[in-house]
Amino acid sequence: MHLLGHIVRFIVSALVLMFVSFIVPAFKVGGFWSAFFLALVIAIAAWVIEGIFGKKITPFGRGIVGFITSAVIIWVAQFVVSGVSTSFIGAILAALVIGIIDLFIPVKTPFEQGNGGRE
């Protein structure tokens, strides 16, 4: 069930990224699989950054630093995932829209260790 929870989170994240691509003009995702791999790259990058700098700087942390980190990760991820293109302004707008959506539909990172590693 733990693996299924991760897969569901990535699918929800991919759907959110596709919705953001529809709303933000300077942020384009080529399709579901591009969005799915973009969600995977964002989660891995956030996990690495959290390991190096701590929770407050990750896109899942609160504040301006987390917001800017999220925008930078989205902008850099376009070079890793095919089918994704954005300008830096588009990445900032996408991070803003994703943050607003996350207020209503919170999607935790699959790498969080809440509840002692159990869900």
Side-chain angles (χ1 to χ4, degrees):
M1 187 65 175
H2 190 63
L3 177 63
L4 183 61
H6 291 317
I7 292 171
V8 168
R9 284 188 192 137
F10 281 121
I11 290 172
V12 170
S13 296
L15 292 174
V16 167
L17 287 168
M18 289 178 68
F19 179 72
V20 170
S21 174
F22 180 72
I23 292 175
V24 177
F27 177 73
K28 296 294 175 204
V29 177
F32 176 77
W33 289 110
S34 293
F36 185 83
F37 289 120
L38 180 60
L40 183 64
V41 167
I42 290 170
I44 291 171
W47 179 68
V48 169
I49 289 172
E50 181 179 317
I52 294 171
F53 297 107
K55 267 193 189 284
K56 293 190 181 200
I57 197 168
T58 65
F60 306 103
R62 303 221 185 259
I64 190 72
V65 175
F67 170 72
I68 292 172
T69 303
S70 179
V72 169
I73 288 174
I74 291 169
W75 185 75
V76 169
Q78 75 174 331
F79 302 113
V80 178
V81 180
S82 65
V84 176
S85 65
T86 186
S87 65
F88 193 70
I89 298 297
I92 290 171
L93 292 174
L96 179 66
V97 173
I98 290 168
I100 292 169
I101 292 171
D102 191 47
L103 289 173
F104 299 104
I105 307 170
V107 178
K108 296 189 313 185
T109 173
F111 302 105
E112 285 185 19
Q113 295 291 328
N115 300 328
R118 293 184 182 190
E119 293 187 357

